[in-house]
Structures are given as structure tokens and as C-alpha cells.
Amino acid sequence: MIDLRLLREDPERVRASQRARQADPGLVDALLAADEARRAAVTAADSLRTEQKAASTAVRGASAEERPAILDRAKALAAQVKAAEAAQAEADLALRSAALALPNTVLDGVPPGGEQDFVVLEQVGQIPSYDFPVKDHLDLGTALAAIDTERGAKVSGSRFAFLTGWGALLELALVNLAMGAAVEAGFTPVIAPALVRPEAMEGTGFLGAHAAEVYQLEGDDLYLVGTSEVPLAAFHSGEVVDELPYRYAGFSSCFRREAGSHGRDTRGIIRVHQFEKVELFSLVAPADADAEHLRLLAYEKAFLSLLELPFRVIDVAAGDLGTSAARKYDCEAWLPSQERWLELTSTSNCTDFQARRLGIRSRGEQGLAPVATLNGTACATFRTIAVLLEVHQRADGSVHVPEALRPYLAGRKELLPQ
RNA sequence: GGAGGCGUCGCCUAGUCCGGUCUAUGGCGCCGCACUGCUAAUGCGGUUUGGGUCUCAAGCCCAUCGGGAGUUCAAAUCUCCCCGCCUCCGCCA
């Protein structure tokens, strides 16, 4: 939810953001109109209530003979107040839905345009070349007895997989490495719930445009999270937080319906309905948000380097930002089998957008004000495993194990086909 | 899942039975001022949050006693639903 005061002061800035996102600038004017309508309704209801309170007080002090008349007037006012309150509630609701429809205002410098309009900021490492025909991660993983998508489909459906043997251990190794490094960098480790209430989902902006992506439990009014960003963001909801910054590294399973991606990445474990992830989440003073964003990006880069993966960093275009993000950097690793870059980590600066919805505030010079929230991937397991197997494959089907992972894999330097 | 108890403006707390100066009491903490030759004590004042009005500020107004709905001229107080916490029972990794 954006700041309505800022919207009133400078609506053109928000319209420009919408245009950069290739979204409807009309939403801005709809919100302005809803805001004005609500303020009118509030003023009307407030003044009626003032009258009603006076009338109600008069009832108490009234003598027996004047009482009936005063009571009649009080009753009439009560009815008017009730109507005015209903109108106000309606205006509140209209304002709320208009506000929820509008995504965060993008920051200066964000490339305008759609998914293809990103800007490459840098490339780390060389695109690997192989003097043998490369296999994809599913062939490699099957030969290693590490990935079993056939049984995944049998048991749970398409886009599910079993990780077995070294595959299972590799997942745990990645989680341990990511968690350990994050803790060393000052993040507080958290095991987060994967089921959350609607407020948590909505507060993080996942029930808007991306509602179709989210699994919902019909019987319990709970949602399965697509990322532990959701429980981590909601962790401090409704709280006044001091002693900023707060930095968390949350682990959870992640569930995604992949509703809009039929036919995309159907092979292997690049795009699955369930995977595990370590997610970084920071709460900082709004003025420190940009610096924190770069800090999260630096952390992600360091982690990919530990995995000895070549990657590039892109500045994601406005139209490809999530609802809550004002700026987003993705790290994309090279996927040899498809000879393309694949997003492995993503870090978003949500400014005060999430915090406003979730009621996370801190005390500043202006009194209580929403904090800034930022999130970033430390490690999303399945997809990272896919890239690791492919990049580090050898001609004989064995796979090199990066040094940083070896302590978590019984010291193994390579994984061998079974 | 069953039974009972509880939820008050940072923290603790009075008020809820029996609706009306509750404009929510007191303490702690915090902020400001005064005094005392020191950052202690004491005294005085302030201290929920959100919204509206307003050029700014002040002021004024409205809402807010876990959340929502209802009864009433009037709800912290009465009724219902929901959420959370605690105790006991049942079940369970």
C-alpha cells in the first residue's frame, strides 16, 4: 500500500511509475477519487456523531416532560449516524480495494518496460564450455539416482519430484551452507511456518495479481506460502520495532501452483510445485533501504561464488517487478543444457509498501512511521541443484562438488553415477 | 476435539456483576521543566494509536478497552461470532 499523503502531493510520480510498469495509470486517479470520497464520508459521519453525542448526553439530564422530545431527536440522529456510518464503511472499503490494486511506486533508475527490458549490471565468471555433449540436470540426476520425477508425478502429479540419495543430501547441504553463511553475516536464523493466515498473504502483496499462484486450504482459511518472505514479513506485523535493522534468514518449504506457466520448464526440477528455500529478510529505516538492498545483493553474489557458478546480475525492469517491489535485482546462473541464464536468486526493495500494510512501524522524528522491508533469496534448493549438476558435470556423468559444500557431503569431491 | 478462565492507551493495573462527566484509574518506564555544585533524590507538567479539519502550527472534531457484528438515545461494561493466550481432559509425531 502506498502512502496516500505522498499520492495526494505528487500523483504524477505515481502515474509515471504505472507507465514504467506498463500498467494502468488510471488506477492512480481511481485511488485519488476513492480517497476524496472517503474523506467526505468521514467528515459527514463525524459531524453527525458530534450532534448525536450531544443529544445523547441531553437525554440523561432531561426532565420528565422534555424527555420524550429529546429522546425522539436522539433516535432520529442515531438513525442518521447509522446511515452515515454505513456510507463511510462503504467508502473505506472502496478506498482499500483501490489502494490494494496499486503496486509499489518504482524507484528512480529502474529500467522501464517489460520482462525483456532488464539491464545487465555485471557478469561474474565465464560462460562454461564443454568438450563433450552436455546432459541436462534430469539425465544427470537420474544417473546419479539423485532426482526421481517419474515417481514424483506418480505420487503427487506433474512438477513434483523426489530427491533421493545424494540429491537429498545435496539439498540439506545447500540449506546448511546458506544458513551458516547467513548467520555468520549477522542474520538471525528462523524456521518459519509454511501455512499462514490471509492477512499475512495479503500484507505481503501476494493476493493481488499473483493470487492464482497461491495454494489455499479450503477447510482452514490458510494459505501455503510460496516463499518464507511471507511469514518473515508478517513476523513483526502490528508491532513497533526499534533497534533497527533486523535481519532474518528464514527456512521453509515453498509451494507454487505455477498456474500461468503451463508448458514452461516442464522437464526436470527447475520449476516445481514444492521446494525448500532459505530467504533473507531485512527491516531497516527507509533511508537505509537502498544500502540494504545492495548488501543483500552482495550476499547473494557471495553465495553463488561459493557454489562456483557463473552468473550475471540484472536490474529487473519495472513491468516485471512484483506488487510490493520498488526495485529488484536478480542473479541468473548459466544453464548449460539450454544455453541460457536462469534466475537463481532475487532481491527486492519493498520500501515501506509491505510495512504499511502489515503495520510494522518504528519511532522516528516524525513519530511512528512504517519501516522499509527487503527480501532476497539465499538459496532456493531444487533449482540450484539443477544448475549445480549441469554446470559441474563431467564427460563421464560424474559431478564436481564445490569445495564449500564438501563439509556437508561427507567430504565428497564428486558425485558418481550409480 | 471437549470443559473452564483470561485479553484495558510501551509494561503492570483499576473499572466490567448493576450501561450514562470513563474526556478510561494508579504505578513503572519515558520526555520536558524546576531545584540541588555532578547522569541520584524530590516536585511540577506531559506521555495510546489512527483519522478528519486546517497554508504550517496550535486548536477543534471523530474513532479506538483483542477483532467484528448486534441491542440501546447512550457500550470498556449487555448479546453473538471470530482470534489469541492459559489450565484441565482427549488424541497424536
Side-chain angles (χ1 to χ4, degrees), chain A residues 126-136 140 307-310 333-340 386-400:
Chain A
Q126 297 301 310
I127 292 177
S129 58
Y130 302 86
D131 52 8
F132 55 87
V134 296
K135 301 190 178 89
D136 76 6
L140 290 161
L307 299 183
E308 302 168 21
L309 296 175
W334 184 255
L335 187 67
S337 67
Q338 296 180 28
E339 298 190 316
R340 68 173 176 109
V387 171
L388 272 174
L389 295 184
E390 292 200 10
V391 169
H392 295 315
Q393 66 178 297
R394 297 174 181 141
D396 61 359
S398 67
V399 173
H400 160 79

mmCIF file of all heavy atoms in Angstrom, chain A residues 126-136 140 307-310 333-340 386-400:
data_model
loop_
_atom_site.group_PDB
_atom_site.id
_atom_site.type_symbol
_atom_site.label_atom_id
_atom_site.label_comp_id
_atom_site.label_asym_id
_atom_site.label_seq_id
_atom_site.Cartn_x
_atom_site.Cartn_y
_atom_site.Cartn_z
ATOM 1 N N GLN A 126 32.967 -16.912 -16.271
ATOM 2 C CA GLN A 126 32.790 -17.104 -17.716
ATOM 3 C C GLN A 126 31.711 -18.144 -17.987
ATOM 4 O O GLN A 126 31.538 -19.073 -17.208
ATOM 5 C CB GLN A 126 34.111 -17.603 -18.330
ATOM 6 C CG GLN A 126 35.243 -16.608 -18.208
ATOM 7 C CD GLN A 126 34.897 -15.278 -18.887
ATOM 8 O OE1 GLN A 126 34.469 -15.267 -20.034
ATOM 9 N NE2 GLN A 126 35.053 -14.163 -18.172
ATOM 10 N N ILE A 127 31.023 -17.955 -19.096
ATOM 11 C CA ILE A 127 30.088 -18.982 -19.531
ATOM 12 C C ILE A 127 30.900 -20.241 -19.831
ATOM 13 O O ILE A 127 31.857 -20.187 -20.615
ATOM 14 C CB ILE A 127 29.324 -18.527 -20.786
ATOM 15 C CG1 ILE A 127 28.404 -17.365 -20.416
ATOM 16 C CG2 ILE A 127 28.521 -19.680 -21.376
ATOM 17 C CD1 ILE A 127 27.657 -16.785 -21.600
ATOM 18 N N PRO A 128 30.560 -21.346 -19.167
ATOM 19 C CA PRO A 128 31.399 -22.536 -19.306
ATOM 20 C C PRO A 128 31.208 -23.193 -20.673
ATOM 21 O O PRO A 128 30.137 -23.113 -21.270
ATOM 22 C CB PRO A 128 30.895 -23.454 -18.192
ATOM 23 C CG PRO A 128 29.488 -23.040 -17.966
ATOM 24 C CD PRO A 128 29.414 -21.580 -18.270
ATOM 25 N N SER A 129 32.300 -23.812 -21.161
ATOM 26 C CA SER A 129 32.180 -24.578 -22.392
ATOM 27 C C SER A 129 32.604 -26.012 -22.088
ATOM 28 O O SER A 129 33.404 -26.253 -21.183
ATOM 29 C CB SER A 129 33.060 -23.971 -23.477
ATOM 30 O OG SER A 129 34.399 -23.929 -23.042
ATOM 31 N N TYR A 130 32.053 -26.936 -22.806
ATOM 32 C CA TYR A 130 32.294 -28.353 -22.539
ATOM 33 C C TYR A 130 32.731 -29.019 -23.834
ATOM 34 O O TYR A 130 32.172 -28.738 -24.897
ATOM 35 C CB TYR A 130 31.021 -29.019 -22.011
ATOM 36 C CG TYR A 130 30.498 -28.362 -20.747
ATOM 37 C CD1 TYR A 130 29.654 -27.255 -20.827
ATOM 38 C CD2 TYR A 130 30.874 -28.824 -19.494
ATOM 39 C CE1 TYR A 130 29.191 -26.630 -19.679
ATOM 40 C CE2 TYR A 130 30.419 -28.202 -18.343
ATOM 41 C CZ TYR A 130 29.581 -27.105 -18.435
ATOM 42 O OH TYR A 130 29.142 -26.488 -17.305
ATOM 43 N N ASP A 131 33.755 -29.885 -23.743
ATOM 44 C CA ASP A 131 34.219 -30.554 -24.961
ATOM 45 C C ASP A 131 33.570 -31.928 -25.086
ATOM 46 O O ASP A 131 34.163 -32.880 -25.570
ATOM 47 C CB ASP A 131 35.749 -30.667 -24.967
ATOM 48 C CG ASP A 131 36.263 -31.292 -23.687
ATOM 49 O OD1 ASP A 131 35.424 -31.780 -22.877
ATOM 50 O OD2 ASP A 131 37.490 -31.293 -23.489
ATOM 51 N N PHE A 132 32.339 -31.998 -24.570
ATOM 52 C CA PHE A 132 31.539 -33.221 -24.718
ATOM 53 C C PHE A 132 30.090 -32.780 -24.746
ATOM 54 O O PHE A 132 29.781 -31.660 -24.347
ATOM 55 C CB PHE A 132 31.810 -34.176 -23.546
ATOM 56 C CG PHE A 132 31.577 -33.559 -22.184
ATOM 57 C CD1 PHE A 132 30.314 -33.582 -21.603
ATOM 58 C CD2 PHE A 132 32.623 -32.941 -21.487
ATOM 59 C CE1 PHE A 132 30.104 -33.014 -20.356
ATOM 60 C CE2 PHE A 132 32.407 -32.359 -20.251
ATOM 61 C CZ PHE A 132 31.134 -32.398 -19.679
ATOM 62 N N PRO A 133 29.223 -33.646 -25.209
ATOM 63 C CA PRO A 133 27.812 -33.263 -25.250
ATOM 64 C C PRO A 133 27.257 -33.138 -23.829
ATOM 65 O O PRO A 133 27.351 -34.110 -23.064
ATOM 66 C CB PRO A 133 27.128 -34.415 -25.995
ATOM 67 C CG PRO A 133 28.212 -35.317 -26.466
ATOM 68 C CD PRO A 133 29.453 -35.010 -25.721
ATOM 69 N N VAL A 134 26.728 -31.960 -23.494
ATOM 70 C CA VAL A 134 26.244 -31.776 -22.123
ATOM 71 C C VAL A 134 24.910 -32.498 -21.920
ATOM 72 O O VAL A 134 24.106 -32.615 -22.848
ATOM 73 C CB VAL A 134 26.065 -30.283 -21.771
ATOM 74 C CG1 VAL A 134 27.401 -29.561 -21.793
ATOM 75 C CG2 VAL A 134 25.067 -29.626 -22.705
ATOM 76 N N LYS A 135 24.739 -32.998 -20.751
ATOM 77 C CA LYS A 135 23.452 -33.590 -20.365
ATOM 78 C C LYS A 135 22.684 -32.558 -19.544
ATOM 79 O O LYS A 135 23.287 -31.676 -18.910
ATOM 80 C CB LYS A 135 23.683 -34.842 -19.516
ATOM 81 C CG LYS A 135 24.481 -35.940 -20.191
ATOM 82 C CD LYS A 135 24.424 -37.205 -19.341
ATOM 83 C CE LYS A 135 25.154 -38.364 -19.991
ATOM 84 N NZ LYS A 135 26.585 -38.418 -19.628
ATOM 85 N N ASP A 136 21.393 -32.693 -19.522
ATOM 86 C CA ASP A 136 20.657 -31.781 -18.655
ATOM 87 C C ASP A 136 20.578 -32.371 -17.240
ATOM 88 O O ASP A 136 20.953 -33.519 -17.002
ATOM 89 C CB ASP A 136 19.286 -31.422 -19.239
ATOM 90 C CG ASP A 136 18.251 -32.528 -19.088
ATOM 91 O OD1 ASP A 136 18.537 -33.550 -18.437
ATOM 92 O OD2 ASP A 136 17.155 -32.367 -19.644
ATOM 93 N N LEU A 140 21.386 -36.225 -15.713
ATOM 94 C CA LEU A 140 22.469 -36.367 -14.740
ATOM 95 C C LEU A 140 21.934 -36.869 -13.399
ATOM 96 O O LEU A 140 22.479 -37.809 -12.808
ATOM 97 C CB LEU A 140 23.157 -35.011 -14.533
ATOM 98 C CG LEU A 140 23.994 -34.487 -15.699
ATOM 99 C CD1 LEU A 140 24.212 -32.982 -15.549
ATOM 100 C CD2 LEU A 140 25.324 -35.227 -15.776
ATOM 101 N N LEU A 307 29.360 -21.502 -4.612
ATOM 102 C CA LEU A 307 28.926 -22.681 -5.364
ATOM 103 C C LEU A 307 29.677 -22.799 -6.689
ATOM 104 O O LEU A 307 29.397 -23.705 -7.475
ATOM 105 C CB LEU A 307 27.412 -22.616 -5.622
ATOM 106 C CG LEU A 307 26.523 -22.590 -4.379
ATOM 107 C CD1 LEU A 307 25.049 -22.597 -4.775
ATOM 108 C CD2 LEU A 307 26.822 -23.760 -3.448
ATOM 109 N N GLU A 308 30.604 -21.852 -6.925
ATOM 110 C CA GLU A 308 31.440 -21.873 -8.130
ATOM 111 C C GLU A 308 30.593 -21.828 -9.397
ATOM 112 O O GLU A 308 30.871 -22.520 -10.376
ATOM 113 C CB GLU A 308 32.356 -23.113 -8.114
ATOM 114 C CG GLU A 308 33.257 -23.149 -6.883
ATOM 115 C CD GLU A 308 33.955 -24.503 -6.686
ATOM 116 O OE1 GLU A 308 34.062 -25.258 -7.667
ATOM 117 O OE2 GLU A 308 34.384 -24.788 -5.555
ATOM 118 N N LEU A 309 29.538 -21.005 -9.358
ATOM 119 C CA LEU A 309 28.645 -20.893 -10.515
ATOM 120 C C LEU A 309 28.868 -19.562 -11.222
ATOM 121 O O LEU A 309 28.951 -18.524 -10.558
ATOM 122 C CB LEU A 309 27.176 -20.964 -10.060
ATOM 123 C CG LEU A 309 26.728 -22.269 -9.415
ATOM 124 C CD1 LEU A 309 25.299 -22.141 -8.917
ATOM 125 C CD2 LEU A 309 26.849 -23.430 -10.400
ATOM 126 N N PRO A 310 28.980 -19.577 -12.553
ATOM 127 C CA PRO A 310 28.989 -18.321 -13.285
ATOM 128 C C PRO A 310 27.584 -17.730 -13.317
ATOM 129 O O PRO A 310 26.608 -18.470 -13.470
ATOM 130 C CB PRO A 310 29.437 -18.719 -14.691
ATOM 131 C CG PRO A 310 29.120 -20.167 -14.804
ATOM 132 C CD PRO A 310 29.100 -20.749 -13.426
ATOM 133 N N ALA A 333 22.028 -17.655 -13.123
ATOM 134 C CA ALA A 333 23.154 -18.559 -13.386
ATOM 135 C C ALA A 333 23.004 -19.153 -14.786
ATOM 136 O O ALA A 333 21.912 -19.200 -15.356
ATOM 137 C CB ALA A 333 23.192 -19.668 -12.341
ATOM 138 N N TRP A 334 24.130 -19.602 -15.302
ATOM 139 C CA TRP A 334 24.124 -20.185 -16.652
ATOM 140 C C TRP A 334 23.631 -21.625 -16.574
ATOM 141 O O TRP A 334 24.099 -22.406 -15.746
ATOM 142 C CB TRP A 334 25.518 -20.134 -17.249
ATOM 143 C CG TRP A 334 25.571 -20.631 -18.663
ATOM 144 C CD1 TRP A 334 26.069 -21.825 -19.108
ATOM 145 C CD2 TRP A 334 25.086 -19.950 -19.814
ATOM 146 N NE1 TRP A 334 25.929 -21.929 -20.463
ATOM 147 C CE2 TRP A 334 25.329 -20.789 -20.931
ATOM 148 C CE3 TRP A 334 24.471 -18.713 -20.016
ATOM 149 C CZ2 TRP A 334 24.973 -20.427 -22.237
ATOM 150 C CZ3 TRP A 334 24.125 -18.350 -21.305
ATOM 151 C CH2 TRP A 334 24.374 -19.206 -22.405
ATOM 152 N N LEU A 335 22.665 -21.930 -17.454
ATOM 153 C CA LEU A 335 22.120 -23.282 -17.501
ATOM 154 C C LEU A 335 22.622 -23.937 -18.796
ATOM 155 O O LEU A 335 22.089 -23.662 -19.878
ATOM 156 C CB LEU A 335 20.592 -23.233 -17.480
ATOM 157 C CG LEU A 335 19.879 -24.584 -17.349
ATOM 158 C CD1 LEU A 335 20.148 -25.209 -15.984
ATOM 159 C CD2 LEU A 335 18.376 -24.410 -17.561
ATOM 160 N N PRO A 336 23.643 -24.769 -18.721
ATOM 161 C CA PRO A 336 24.317 -25.277 -19.918
ATOM 162 C C PRO A 336 23.384 -26.020 -20.876
ATOM 163 O O PRO A 336 23.497 -25.846 -22.094
ATOM 164 C CB PRO A 336 25.384 -26.225 -19.348
ATOM 165 C CG PRO A 336 25.670 -25.691 -17.987
ATOM 166 C CD PRO A 336 24.360 -25.176 -17.492
ATOM 167 N N SER A 337 22.471 -26.836 -20.386
ATOM 168 C CA SER A 337 21.656 -27.659 -21.280
ATOM 169 C C SER A 337 20.785 -26.795 -22.183
ATOM 170 O O SER A 337 20.465 -27.180 -23.297
ATOM 171 C CB SER A 337 20.778 -28.608 -20.475
ATOM 172 O OG SER A 337 19.803 -27.888 -19.753
ATOM 173 N N GLN A 338 20.414 -25.632 -21.716
ATOM 174 C CA GLN A 338 19.537 -24.774 -22.513
ATOM 175 C C GLN A 338 20.277 -23.534 -23.016
ATOM 176 O O GLN A 338 19.684 -22.697 -23.699
ATOM 177 C CB GLN A 338 18.308 -24.359 -21.685
ATOM 178 C CG GLN A 338 17.436 -25.553 -21.306
ATOM 179 C CD GLN A 338 16.225 -25.152 -20.482
ATOM 180 O OE1 GLN A 338 15.727 -24.024 -20.596
ATOM 181 N NE2 GLN A 338 15.744 -26.063 -19.653
ATOM 182 N N GLU A 339 21.550 -23.448 -22.626
ATOM 183 C CA GLU A 339 22.368 -22.312 -23.032
ATOM 184 C C GLU A 339 21.650 -20.987 -22.820
ATOM 185 O O GLU A 339 21.514 -20.158 -23.718
ATOM 186 C CB GLU A 339 22.800 -22.466 -24.498
ATOM 187 C CG GLU A 339 23.656 -23.703 -24.694
ATOM 188 C CD GLU A 339 24.290 -23.752 -26.078
ATOM 189 O OE1 GLU A 339 23.568 -23.458 -27.051
ATOM 190 O OE2 GLU A 339 25.481 -24.066 -26.159
ATOM 191 N N ARG A 340 21.180 -20.835 -21.589
ATOM 192 C CA ARG A 340 20.520 -19.575 -21.231
ATOM 193 C C ARG A 340 20.740 -19.282 -19.755
ATOM 194 O O ARG A 340 21.202 -20.141 -18.994
ATOM 195 C CB ARG A 340 19.019 -19.648 -21.525
ATOM 196 C CG ARG A 340 18.268 -20.618 -20.609
ATOM 197 C CD ARG A 340 16.763 -20.495 -20.844
ATOM 198 N NE ARG A 340 15.997 -21.459 -20.069
ATOM 199 C CZ ARG A 340 15.235 -21.138 -19.016
ATOM 200 N NH1 ARG A 340 15.171 -19.888 -18.602
ATOM 201 N NH2 ARG A 340 14.553 -22.068 -18.375
ATOM 202 N N ALA A 386 19.646 -28.197 -9.763
ATOM 203 C CA ALA A 386 19.631 -28.410 -11.213
ATOM 204 C C ALA A 386 20.834 -27.730 -11.860
ATOM 205 O O ALA A 386 21.557 -28.325 -12.667
ATOM 206 C CB ALA A 386 18.326 -27.867 -11.801
ATOM 207 N N VAL A 387 21.069 -26.476 -11.481
ATOM 208 C CA VAL A 387 22.178 -25.734 -12.077
ATOM 209 C C VAL A 387 23.526 -26.322 -11.662
ATOM 210 O O VAL A 387 24.438 -26.469 -12.483
ATOM 211 C CB VAL A 387 22.092 -24.237 -11.687
ATOM 212 C CG1 VAL A 387 23.343 -23.492 -12.117
ATOM 213 C CG2 VAL A 387 20.844 -23.610 -12.306
ATOM 214 N N LEU A 388 23.636 -26.680 -10.390
ATOM 215 C CA LEU A 388 24.882 -27.273 -9.895
ATOM 216 C C LEU A 388 25.253 -28.521 -10.693
ATOM 217 O O LEU A 388 26.400 -28.683 -11.124
ATOM 218 C CB LEU A 388 24.735 -27.659 -8.419
ATOM 219 C CG LEU A 388 25.049 -26.609 -7.360
ATOM 220 C CD1 LEU A 388 24.707 -27.150 -5.976
ATOM 221 C CD2 LEU A 388 26.514 -26.200 -7.420
ATOM 222 N N LEU A 389 24.280 -29.404 -10.869
ATOM 223 C CA LEU A 389 24.564 -30.648 -11.590
ATOM 224 C C LEU A 389 25.013 -30.351 -13.017
ATOM 225 O O LEU A 389 25.969 -30.949 -13.518
ATOM 226 C CB LEU A 389 23.323 -31.549 -11.614
ATOM 227 C CG LEU A 389 22.839 -32.097 -10.266
ATOM 228 C CD1 LEU A 389 21.667 -33.048 -10.463
ATOM 229 C CD2 LEU A 389 23.968 -32.807 -9.516
ATOM 230 N N GLU A 390 24.340 -29.422 -13.656
ATOM 231 C CA GLU A 390 24.651 -29.145 -15.059
ATOM 232 C C GLU A 390 26.001 -28.458 -15.218
ATOM 233 O O GLU A 390 26.810 -28.846 -16.059
ATOM 234 C CB GLU A 390 23.551 -28.296 -15.694
ATOM 235 C CG GLU A 390 22.230 -29.063 -15.826
ATOM 236 C CD GLU A 390 21.298 -28.449 -16.862
ATOM 237 O OE1 GLU A 390 21.728 -27.551 -17.614
ATOM 238 O OE2 GLU A 390 20.127 -28.878 -16.900
ATOM 239 N N VAL A 391 26.233 -27.444 -14.431
ATOM 240 C CA VAL A 391 27.472 -26.675 -14.599
ATOM 241 C C VAL A 391 28.689 -27.515 -14.242
ATOM 242 O O VAL A 391 29.721 -27.456 -14.917
ATOM 243 C CB VAL A 391 27.430 -25.393 -13.738
ATOM 244 C CG1 VAL A 391 28.810 -24.725 -13.683
ATOM 245 C CG2 VAL A 391 26.396 -24.419 -14.283
ATOM 246 N N HIS A 392 28.545 -28.319 -13.193
ATOM 247 C CA HIS A 392 29.700 -29.059 -12.693
ATOM 248 C C HIS A 392 29.788 -30.482 -13.232
ATOM 249 O O HIS A 392 30.489 -31.325 -12.690
ATOM 250 C CB HIS A 392 29.680 -29.073 -11.160
ATOM 251 C CG HIS A 392 29.856 -27.712 -10.561
ATOM 252 N ND1 HIS A 392 30.813 -26.829 -11.006
ATOM 253 C CD2 HIS A 392 29.206 -27.060 -9.564
ATOM 254 C CE1 HIS A 392 30.737 -25.708 -10.297
ATOM 255 N NE2 HIS A 392 29.757 -25.818 -9.427
ATOM 256 N N GLN A 393 29.064 -30.770 -14.313
ATOM 257 C CA GLN A 393 29.096 -32.116 -14.887
ATOM 258 C C GLN A 393 30.415 -32.368 -15.630
ATOM 259 O O GLN A 393 31.089 -31.442 -16.090
ATOM 260 C CB GLN A 393 27.932 -32.314 -15.861
ATOM 261 C CG GLN A 393 28.009 -31.456 -17.107
ATOM 262 C CD GLN A 393 26.837 -31.736 -18.045
ATOM 263 O OE1 GLN A 393 26.681 -32.839 -18.554
ATOM 264 N NE2 GLN A 393 26.006 -30.708 -18.234
ATOM 265 N N ARG A 394 30.744 -33.642 -15.728
ATOM 266 C CA ARG A 394 31.920 -34.070 -16.497
ATOM 267 C C ARG A 394 31.470 -35.071 -17.555
ATOM 268 O O ARG A 394 30.343 -35.555 -17.516
ATOM 269 C CB ARG A 394 32.948 -34.722 -15.581
ATOM 270 C CG ARG A 394 33.510 -33.767 -14.531
ATOM 271 C CD ARG A 394 34.402 -34.560 -13.605
ATOM 272 N NE ARG A 394 34.974 -33.726 -12.557
ATOM 273 C CZ ARG A 394 35.120 -34.152 -11.309
ATOM 274 N NH1 ARG A 394 34.716 -35.370 -10.964
ATOM 275 N NH2 ARG A 394 35.669 -33.355 -10.417
ATOM 276 N N ALA A 395 32.402 -35.361 -18.438
ATOM 277 C CA ALA A 395 32.078 -36.210 -19.593
ATOM 278 C C ALA A 395 31.525 -37.571 -19.165
ATOM 279 O O ALA A 395 30.629 -38.124 -19.804
ATOM 280 C CB ALA A 395 33.308 -36.404 -20.468
ATOM 281 N N ASP A 396 32.027 -38.083 -18.048
ATOM 282 C CA ASP A 396 31.596 -39.427 -17.638
ATOM 283 C C ASP A 396 30.305 -39.428 -16.817
ATOM 284 O O ASP A 396 29.899 -40.456 -16.284
ATOM 285 C CB ASP A 396 32.713 -40.109 -16.847
ATOM 286 C CG ASP A 396 33.047 -39.322 -15.574
ATOM 287 O OD1 ASP A 396 32.420 -38.260 -15.330
ATOM 288 O OD2 ASP A 396 33.935 -39.766 -14.820
ATOM 289 N N GLY A 397 29.691 -38.267 -16.706
ATOM 290 C CA GLY A 397 28.431 -38.204 -15.968
ATOM 291 C C GLY A 397 28.612 -37.957 -14.485
ATOM 292 O O GLY A 397 27.635 -37.833 -13.747
ATOM 293 N N SER A 398 29.864 -37.884 -14.041
ATOM 294 C CA SER A 398 30.095 -37.527 -12.640
ATOM 295 C C SER A 398 29.965 -36.017 -12.485
ATOM 296 O O SER A 398 29.974 -35.274 -13.473
ATOM 297 C CB SER A 398 31.493 -37.987 -12.200
ATOM 298 O OG SER A 398 32.480 -37.246 -12.891
ATOM 299 N N VAL A 399 29.844 -35.573 -11.238
ATOM 300 C CA VAL A 399 29.629 -34.154 -10.981
ATOM 301 C C VAL A 399 30.592 -33.671 -9.909
ATOM 302 O O VAL A 399 30.694 -34.272 -8.826
ATOM 303 C CB VAL A 399 28.165 -33.891 -10.529
ATOM 304 C CG1 VAL A 399 27.987 -32.451 -10.090
ATOM 305 C CG2 VAL A 399 27.205 -34.221 -11.672
ATOM 306 N N HIS A 400 31.288 -32.609 -10.228
ATOM 307 C CA HIS A 400 32.217 -31.968 -9.295
ATOM 308 C C HIS A 400 31.433 -31.322 -8.143
ATOM 309 O O HIS A 400 30.413 -30.673 -8.363
ATOM 310 C CB HIS A 400 33.018 -30.907 -10.070
ATOM 311 C CG HIS A 400 33.642 -29.867 -9.209
ATOM 312 N ND1 HIS A 400 34.810 -30.086 -8.507
ATOM 313 C CD2 HIS A 400 33.271 -28.585 -8.928
ATOM 314 C CE1 HIS A 400 35.127 -28.976 -7.832
ATOM 315 N NE2 HIS A 400 34.210 -28.062 -8.084
#
